[in-house]
Amino acid sequence: MKNRIHINLGYYFPFIMRMLGIVFCIAGLALLLPQVLLGIPLLLLGLLIITARYRLEINLTNQTYHDHLWIAGFRKGKKAKFGSIDGLFLNKNQYSQTVNSRASSMTKYGTEYNAYIRFDVDDVHLLSNDNKAKVVSTLKKVKAKLTSDIILSTHLTINTTIKDYTEEELKEID
């Protein structure tokens, strides 16, 4: 029986940094024999960059969740107990970003969509993206995990409806 649900929320470092981490690992391996003192730090730095990711672990038996940063098996983050999962939801926020240079400045306006899982005690942020379809797709994957890995004999209440607060009227997503 599975009693834990692991949800990968995304990488800590952007794609280019992860590629640089792979280069560090390869360079570290190549330098292990001739220059051990240079090879080991490069290898460790590469592994740190490659493995760093945000995760959410839900323990159905103990009714706890752990929202954490996972780096090579080590976890750092918030752990809490809950009584039920009250659903998933997304909302939108308008933002502006100003980039200044010596000659000029530019302001970019946009919309960011945020996804959350609602426990009876707290809301946990899952992801942010400018593309609503990507956020909805991720929420559907989380919904599938919540409905497929459930222990049938548990008394835990799990509501997997996805509520969309991005429009004027509240809408549920299938």
Side-chain angles (χ1 to χ4, degrees), residues 14-136:
F15 178 76
I16 292 174
M17 280 293 294
R18 292 194 313 269
M19 292 301 109
L20 186 62
I22 291 171
V23 170
F24 285 161
C25 285
I26 292 169
L29 286 172
L31 291 172
L32 269 180
L33 293 177
Q35 292 288 327
V36 175
L37 292 178
L38 187 59
I40 290 175
L42 276 175
L43 186 61
L44 291 176
L45 179 63
L47 288 174
L48 180 133
I49 292 170
I50 292 169
T51 61
R53 61 177 49 212
Y54 293 109
R55 294 179 75 183
L56 175 65
E57 179 181 299
I58 302 170
N59 187 324
L60 299 173
T61 305
N62 299 338
Q63 291 184 319
T64 59
Y65 69 88
H66 192 186
D67 182 25
H68 59 276
L69 177 63
W70 187 87
I71 302 174
F74 297 100
R75 302 174 194 172
K76 174 130 177 75
K78 176 181 165 184
K79 200 176 218 183
K81 288 187 116 355
F82 68 93
S84 64
I85 297 174
D86 296 337
L88 305 164
F89 69 94
L90 73 140
N91 64 19
K92 71 176 179 178
N93 293 319
Q94 304 295 327
Y95 70 89
S96 65
Q97 179 180 12
T98 303
V99 179
N100 295 313
S101 68
R102 290 184 186 184
S104 67
S105 68
M106 179 183 84
T107 302
K108 174 187 172 190
Y109 297 95
T111 303
E112 178 180 67
Y113 297 93
N114 296 298
Y116 297 88
I117 183 168
R118 177 167 281 162
F119 295 98
D120 59 340
V121 292
D122 198 9
D123 295 339
V124 175
H125 184 262
L126 297 175
L127 78 143
S128 298
N129 200 312
D130 289 348
N131 186 335
K132 183 178 177 180
K134 288 183 181 180
V135 175
V136 170

